[in-house]
Amino acid sequence: MRRTLPDRIDLLVIGAGPGGCTLARLASEAGIRVALVERSSARDVGRKVCGNAVTEDGIETMREYGAAPTEAEAAAQVWGGTLILGGGNVRMDAHKSGIILNRLTFGQRLLADAVAAGAELVDGCSCVGWTDRESATVRLRWSDEEEIDVSAGIVVDASGYGAVLTQHGGPSHQAPPLGRSDVGIAYREIAPTHEDLGDPKQVFVVVGPEGARGGYGWVFPMGDRLVNVGVGTTLLEAGSNFKDCYRKFTASLPGMRIADPIDAGAGLLPLRRPLPSLVGDRFMALGDAARQANPLHGGGIAPSVLAGGIAADVAVGALGNGDTSTAGLWEYGVRFMRELGAQHATHEVLRRCLDALRDSDVHFIVHELAKRGAMEKVMGARGPRSRLAAHIRLLATIGKRPSLVLALLRTARFISTTQSLYLDYPETPSRFDSWLGQVERQKAELARATSGGKR
Ligand SMILES: Cc1cc2nc3c(=O)[nH]c(=O)nc-3n(C[C@H](O)[C@H](O)[C@H](O)COP(=O)(O)OP(=O)(O)OC[C@H]3O[C@@H](n4cnc5c(N)ncnc54)[C@H](O)[C@@H]3O)c2cc1C
């Protein structure tokens, strides 16, 4: 029997992660006909290799869009933890509350909510690409190789890191592919521990562990003697056997023996500022597919929910007005950049500047920011409230080496200009080319300034 989809689809959403499910639910609630296509079978939605940590700010964002985790979906509530720097030489307390999600339970609930709101789920089915970009027609394929072509009023790529449609002509501006320094790789296990964790409300984070320069290792509690442990860095820094790095990391954990895992795997994610254009004619990209995870620490669950919420609002309006062109969908990009894209662009700048510094300087910066309680403020504040540049400038006043002071002042300057540029994201597509020109010039200047840095 040949499979079919509903005759008329207003919104075709590819991928039932947090971003796709949020969009599908909100648009369905507004009376839009939504089909949600997911590669996995429905029962596996939410089975994702992830640290699953969401901060209090992230939860607040998710609440705004009706996707806050319930108590049952939180494996553990945490209030802060221990930060290890400088190869173990510096150990300090960090205060940032949040939760560690039970991702499968959470993912299943987001999917159930979308379906309950009226979204038609097409599971066990992959989108393999565009058949005809102009008419927004894509090809779907089931595991038995059956294929159909489907078009919709708007097609949304929420397929995560693979970005099946975004990478091949989805948005109005085709961004260059990610380089090896822009792709995060992490290996993580969920495993029992042999002993009590001490305070089960604490996370444990090691900055730049052996084999993961520029990245971090983590131990996140998941309730009674169960932990989510992982190590992440960029593809550029990761060795050919990244699992070795994980083994060394777990062997170095003080007083903690990790048992055989109940779940294990590696995953990739984009560590770069968002795509400059998030829309095209009859097209939107969101979540990891649109590079919306945080470029410093890789947190992408709350950002994808935020993007799904804004995209739903704009898509519903555009379908109602009968204008699903790039111009009709443009507002999604404007709102996302102001809400979060500006912050992520500045975090990318900070990461590039830190990459060019000596490890000891990076540890000095992280240590001083954490000591002043600035990490939490810097990481959490969205839009115009971010005071990252001011904090970096303050560190320049206490830096001891002149070259570090200069590097900090330069970093603060790049952060300020990048923030202004993204907060001033063009209101219409007509100003986009000149805005992008400024962004590219600034990125080239940053690359020049950091290329001579000490590694
Ligand atoms: C190892 C690791 C650790 C992380 N730790 C954290 C963390 O602690 N906190 C945090 O906030 N974020 C973390 N992240 C990032 C976070 O997991 C992602 O940013 C987030 O899941 C993005 O949501 P999304 O909806 O965009 O995509 P995803 O959650 O990736 O969902 C995409 C969905 O699309 C489906 N799909 C893919 N291709 C197709 C296709 N061709 N056709 C149909 N369906 C398709 C997939 O099966 C999946 O269900 C981590 C990521 C990794 C890899």
Side-chain angles (χ1 to χ4, degrees):
M1 190 188 71
R2 275 195 67 76
R3 295 168 175 111
T4 53
L5 257 66
D7 281 347
R8 198 184 127 196
I9 301 169
D10 297 323
L11 200 60
L12 181 67
V13 184
I14 309 298
C21 283
T22 301
L23 168 67
R25 170 176 52 82
L26 291 170
S28 301
E29 280 170 359
I32 299 295
R33 276 173 273 220
V34 179
L36 178 58
V37 175
E38 169 55 47
R39 179 171 64 182
S40 311
S41 67
R43 65 173 183 281
D44 288 329
V45 166
R47 230 179 256 290
K48 163 128 185 153
V49 173
C50 184
N52 296 336
V54 185
T55 61
E56 207 51 64
D57 310 296
I59 296 169
E60 203 39 56
T61 299
M62 290 157 82
R63 189 167 293 124
E64 280 173 45
Y65 294 99
T70 64
E71 229 171 84
E73 291 155 9
Q77 304 274 346
V78 293
W79 62 263
T82 306
L83 195 62
I84 305 282
L85 297 165
N89 292 333
V90 181
R91 189 185 170 99
M92 56 195 307
D93 291 338
H95 304 283
K96 183 115 188 118
S97 55
I99 62 167
I100 309 303
L101 278 174
N102 180 334
R103 186 73 186 264
L104 179 61
T105 320
F106 174 66
Q108 289 283 302
R109 199 258 307 170
L110 292 191
L111 177 65
D113 285 354
V115 171
E120 173 101 14
L121 174 67
V122 185
D123 68 334
C125 175
S126 291
C127 171
V128 293
W130 298 102
T131 331
D132 177 35
R133 174 66 190 86
E134 208 178 316
S135 62
T137 307
V138 300
R139 181 153 300 168
L140 304 182
R141 183 184 295 156
W142 282 265
S143 54
D144 59 6
E145 303 291 308
E146 184 180 333
E147 292 184 343
I148 57 172
D149 290 344
V150 185
S151 71
I154 303 171
V155 176
V156 182
D157 188 353
S159 68
Y161 174 76
V164 61
L165 298 172
T166 307
Q167 295 210 42
H168 305 283
S172 60
H173 168 81
Q174 190 68 49
L178 295 167
R180 288 166 62 77
S181 63
D182 298 315
V183 177
I185 175 169
Y187 176 84
R188 80 98 178 85
E189 295 188 347
I190 294 181
T193 56
H194 286 297
E195 50 280 292
D196 278 331
L197 280 175
D199 186 343
K201 290 187 181 304
Q202 284 213 48
V203 300
F204 185 85
V205 172
V206 178
V207 177
E210 191 183 338
R213 187 181 184 274
Y216 61 97
W218 71 84
V219 183
F220 294 160
M222 290 190 67
D224 198 21
R225 292 194 185 192
L226 193 65
V227 285
N228 178 321
V229 198
V231 184
T233 182
T234 63
L235 279 184
L236 185 70
E237 300 288 347
S240 54
N241 189 353
F242 194 55
K243 212 169 154 186
D244 256 4
C245 168
Y246 172 84
R247 286 200 199 96
K248 281 186 195 145
F249 172 63
T250 49
S252 75
L253 292 171
M256 194 186 302
R257 280 177 308 134
I258 312 283
D260 287 343
I262 54 173
D263 187 42
L268 299 173
L269 79 163
L271 291 177
R272 196 166 175 168
R273 63 184 71 187
L275 290 173
S277 165
L278 298 173
V279 300
D281 288 339
R282 299 172 70 172
F283 176 79
M284 302 168 110
L286 63 86
D288 282 8
R291 304 177 185 170
Q292 290 170 332
N294 185 297
L296 264 185
H297 51 69
I301 298 172
S304 64
V305 167
L306 171 73
I310 300 174
D313 201 25
V314 174
V316 170
L319 286 161
N321 298 334
D323 181 5
T324 54
S325 66
T326 299
L329 299 173
W330 194 254
E331 186 197 339
Y332 159 54
V334 179
R335 283 169 58 185
F336 183 82
M337 295 306 182
R338 288 190 188 150
E339 283 272 330
L340 199 60
Q343 188 215 54
H344 283 191
T346 63
H347 285 187
E348 185 202 279
V349 169
L350 179 60
R351 188 162 72 78
R352 290 196 188 287
C353 292
L354 291 178
D355 277 350
L357 294 176
R358 297 176 184 179
D359 288 352
S360 55
D361 288 341
V362 174
H363 293 151
F364 165 80
I365 293 168
V366 177
H367 182 242
E368 289 300 322
L369 284 175
K371 199 169 82 186
R372 282 148 218 275
M375 292 272 269
E376 302 87 84
K377 291 182 203 130
V378 165
M379 295 304 158
R382 295 185 343 217
R385 288 177 292 134
S386 170
R387 299 197 23 87
L388 180 57
H391 285 291
I392 299 289
R393 233 175 264 121
L394 184 72
L395 293 192
T397 63
I398 55 166
K400 294 203 173 60
R401 281 188 313 107
S403 64
L404 175 61
V405 171
L406 285 176
L408 285 166
L409 290 173
R410 185 184 66 201
T411 303
R413 182 169 55 81
F414 276 118
I415 287 173
S416 287
T417 48
T418 302
Q419 186 183 16
S420 307
L421 205 46
Y422 275 76
L423 290 176
D424 192 29
Y425 188 79
E427 298 273 354
T428 59
S430 59
R431 269 190 56 223
F432 178 74
D433 285 347
S434 99
W435 177 83
L436 189 64
Q438 291 182 65
V439 170
E440 295 301 341
R441 277 194 293 283
Q442 210 178 67
K443 279 164 75 174
E445 203 190 319
L446 177 68
R448 272 195 304 278
T450 51
S451 64
K454 146 81 197 69
R455 292 201 39 114

